[in-house]
C-alpha cells in the first residue's frame, strides 16, 4: 500500500500580514453591557463567534457576548501564537461561518484576498476547490474571523468579563461576571476546553516543580535539553520549535507509537452518517467511542520532519513508557525504571471540556462522568432548558466532532434555530419583568 505524506513546508505560512478591513467596522464595546438581553453567549472563541453570527441571520440582535479576553477569538489566537503555529488542522470547508444563508465562507474570503497569499497558499486553495484536503493559514483564518465579527456586528456586542455564575430559572437565566450581571432569556455556553493537569502522583499535586511548565505557558529560552510530554499536535509544535532552536529534544509518549492523521478525530464523524453512530446508542457505548476516537494525533505534515530528527539523533523518543514521577532538576521517572534528565520539561497532556459545572448548580449540569446531559436535538441542558452548549461540551450528544470547528457549525445551526424559535414564542424579558413589577 502506498501512503501519501504531505511535505513539512505546508506547515509554514506568513503571520501578521495586513488584511483589508471591512469598511465601517465598529470598535469593540467599552461600557458595561445592558442589564438584560434576549441572549447571552459565554465565550467568544470560534464557537461563540459562530453562534453570534448565526443568531444575526435569524434576526436576533439583542445579544451580549461575554468573554474573558474581550476580543472575538482573541484567546484562541494567543494560544496558537504561543506555540508558533502557522497553519490550522481544519481544512477550508471547516470554518465558523453560517450555513444556509449564502454567507461569505472561508474559501470565498481567501480567494477574495488572492493577492495577499503566497504561491503555496494559492496551490492549497486550488486543492480545496478540487475537493482535496488542504491546510489553512492561521493568518487567513484570523482575518476571516475578524471579518465575521465585523460583518455580523459581534465585536460591538462583546464585553470583557470573567463569568462567575450562570443561574437558570424557569423564565430566565442570570449571568454574573466579575464586573456586571446580565439577565437573559437564553444563554449559550461556548466554554471550549482547558488544559489537562498532570496526575497528583507525579509530584504530589499543586503547582509544577521547578523546571516544569504546561504547554500554554512560555517555554524558557535557556537550557539545552528540553523534554515534551504528550502525543498530540501541541506536542509536535513544541518539539518543532525546540529543534529549530538547536536543542536536544526528548519526547515522552505514553503509547507504543505516535498517531498521524489529518483531523484530530476520525473524519467520518464530520459527516451525518458518522454522527448518526451516536443516535440511539447507550451512554456506555458512547463513552467507548469517545475514548477510541477522541485521541491525540499529529498532522501528517510533521511526520517527515520528526522522523528525520529522530534518525539524526536530535530527537530522542521514549515510546510506550508512562511517567511515574517528576522531580526538580528535571528528572522524569518512567515506569520501566529509566530516567530522562533534562533542563526543562513541557507538559502537553491534552485538554478537558469545560461543561459549566463550575458556573451552574449541579442539578442544572447533571454531570455524568465529566459530561453534561443535553437534549440531543437542541443541545439544551436537560436540567436547565434555557441554557445551551456548543463546542466540546456537546461531545456526548454530537460525537467526537463536537470539539472541532465543523462540529461547532452543526451544533450552532441547531442551537440558533431553537433559540430564535423560542424567542418568537416567549414574551420579551423586559416586558415580562415590567408585568411582574406591576403585579
Amino acid at each position: 500500500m502506498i501512503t501519501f505524506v504531505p511535505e513539512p513546508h505546508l506547515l509554514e505560512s506568513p503571520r501578521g500580514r495586513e488584511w483589508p478591513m471591512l469598511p465601517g467596522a465598529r470598535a469593540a464595546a467599552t461600557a458595561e453591557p445592558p442589564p438584560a438581553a434576549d441572549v447571552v453567549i459565554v465565550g467568544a472563541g470560534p464557537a461563540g463567534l459562530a453562534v453570534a453570527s448565526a443568531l444575526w441571520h435569524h434576526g436576533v440582535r439583542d445579544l451580549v457576548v461575554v468573554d474573558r479576553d474581550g476580543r472575538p477569538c482573541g484567546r484562541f489566537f494567543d494560544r496558537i501564537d504561543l506555540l508558533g503555529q502557522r497553519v490550522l488542522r481544519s481544512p477550508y470547508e471547516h470554518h465558523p461561518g453560517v450555513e444556509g444563508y449564502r454567507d461569505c465562507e472561508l474559501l470565498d474570503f481567501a480567494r477574495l484576498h488572492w493577492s495577499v497569499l503566497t504561491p503555496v497558499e494559492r496551490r492549497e486553495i486550488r486543492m480545496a476547490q478540487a475537493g482535496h484536503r488542504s491546510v489553512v493559514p492561521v493568518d487567513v483564518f484570523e482575518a476571516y474571523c475578524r471579518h465575521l465579527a465585523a460583518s455580523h456586528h459581534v465585536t460591538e456586542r462583546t464585553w470583557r468579563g470573567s463569568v462567575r455564575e450562570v443561574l437558570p430559572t424557569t423564565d430566565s437565566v442570570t449571568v454574573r461576571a466579575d464586573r456586571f450581571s446580565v439577565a437573559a432569556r437564553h444563554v449559550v455556553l461556548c466554554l471550549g476546553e482547558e488544559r489537562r493537569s498532570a496526575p497528583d502522583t507525579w509530584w504530589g499535586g499543586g503547582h509544577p516543580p521547578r523546571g516544569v511548565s504546561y504547554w500554554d505557558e512560555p517555554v524558557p529560552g535557556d537550557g539545552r535539553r528540553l523534554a515534551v510530554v504528550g502525543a498530540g499536535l501541541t506536542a509536535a509544535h513544541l518539539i518543532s520549535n525546540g529543534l529549530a532552536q538547536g536543542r536536544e529534544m526528548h519526547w515522552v509518549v505514553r503509547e507504543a507509537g505516535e498517531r498521524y492523521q489529518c483531523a484530530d478525530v476520525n473524519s467520518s464523524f464530520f459527516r451525518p452518517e458518522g454522527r448518526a453512530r451516536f443516535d440511539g446508542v447507550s451512554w456506555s457505548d458512547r463513552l467507548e467511542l469517545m475514548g477510541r476516537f477522541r485521541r491525540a494525533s499529529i498532522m501528517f505534515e510533521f511526520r517527515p520532519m520528526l522522523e528525520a530528527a529522530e534518525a539524526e539523533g536530535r530527537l530522542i523518543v521514549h515510546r510506550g513508557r508512562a511517567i511515574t514521577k517528576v522531580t526538580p532538576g528535571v528528572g522524569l521517572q518512567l515506569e520501566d525504571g529509566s530516567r530522562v534528565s533534562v533542563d526543562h520539561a513541557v507538559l502537553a497532556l491534552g485538554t478537558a471540556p469545560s461543561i459549566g459545572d463550575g458556573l451552574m448548580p449541579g442539578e442544572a449540569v447533571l454531570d455524568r462522568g465529566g459530561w453534561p446531559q443535553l437534549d440531543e436535538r437542541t443541545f439544551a441542558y436537560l436540567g436547565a432548558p434555557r441554557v445551551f452548549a456548543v463546542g466540546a461540551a456537546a461531545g456526548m450528544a454530537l460525537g467526537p466532532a463536537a470539539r472541532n470547528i465543523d462540529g461547532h457549525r452543526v451544533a450552532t445551526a441547531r442551537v440558533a434555530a431553537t433559540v430564535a424559535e423560542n424567542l418568537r414564542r416567549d414574551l420579551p424579558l423586559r416586558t415580562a419583568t415590567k408585568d411582574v413589577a406591576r403585579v
Side-chain angles (χ1 to χ4, degrees), residues 337-352:
S338 62
R339 180 183 175 90
V340 180
S341 296
V342 292
D343 300 307
H344 192 87
V346 184
L347 309 181
L349 307 177
T351 56

Side-chain angles (χ1 to χ4, degrees), residues 42-61:
V42 180
L49 177 58
V51 173
S53 300
L55 288 172
W56 186 88
H57 281 283
H58 279 281
V60 178
R61 310 294 165 83

Side-chain angles (χ1 to χ4, degrees), residues 155-325:
T155 304
E156 65 203 69
R157 293 183 171 94
T158 301
W159 280 266
R160 184 172 185 171
S162 295
V163 174
R164 308 299 189 196
E165 290 183 303
V166 176
L167 303 175
T169 66
T170 303
D171 301 320
S172 65
V173 185
T174 299
V175 176
R176 292 180 179 170
D178 48 356
R179 299 181 296 103
F180 53 79
S181 293
V182 183
R185 294 163 70 187
H186 296 283
V187 168
V188 185
L189 299 183
C190 302
L191 304 176
E193 302 179 68
E194 297 298 331
R195 72 183 185 199
R196 197 178 295 276
S197 299
D200 290 346
T201 54
W202 283 12
W203 59 74
H207 191 74
R210 175 175 51 86
V212 179
S213 61
Y214 284 100
W215 63 269
D216 55 352
E217 301 168 329
V219 179
D222 55 346
R224 186 179 64 85
R225 297 168 301 167
L226 179 68
V228 175
V229 183
L233 185 59
T234 296
H237 278 105
L238 291 166
I239 293 167
S240 176
N241 296 340
L243 291 171
Q245 294 163 2
R247 301 197 194 198
E248 176 189 306
M249 297 300 301
H250 291 258
W251 187 11
V252 182
V253 184
R254 181 178 56 187
E255 297 188 5
E258 51 273 39
R259 298 170 65 242
Y260 294 94
Q261 61 183 38
C262 296
D264 58 354
V265 298
N266 190 293
S267 59
S268 67
F269 287 101
F270 297 129
R271 297 188 288 270
E273 61 271 21
R275 294 192 295 269
R277 294 173 69 175
F278 268 61
D279 295 342
V281 175
S282 69
W283 192 270
S284 60
D285 287 342
R286 293 184 188 200
L287 284 174
E288 191 275 330
L289 284 169
M290 290 293 282
R292 190 177 357 142
F293 291 106
R294 192 180 181 273
R295 297 167 59 198
S297 65
I298 301 169
M299 290 172 64
F300 276 118
E301 285 80 359
F302 277 95
R303 187 170 182 174
M305 176 201 314
L306 298 180
E307 288 181 346
E310 184 178 8
E312 295 163 4
R314 297 182 294 122
L315 172 63
I316 299 137
V317 186
H318 308 270
R319 295 181 178 89
R321 288 177 284 177
I323 291 176
T324 57
K325 191 174 182 180

Side-chain angles (χ1 to χ4, degrees), residues 86 126 142 144 147 214 245 272 312 332 357 379 421 433:
R86 299 298 186 91
R126 294 189 184 100
E142 183 180 30
Y144 174 70
H147 170 82
Y214 284 100
Q245 294 163 2
E312 295 163 4
L332 307 178
D357 53 341
F379 304 123
E421 179 59 28
T433 304

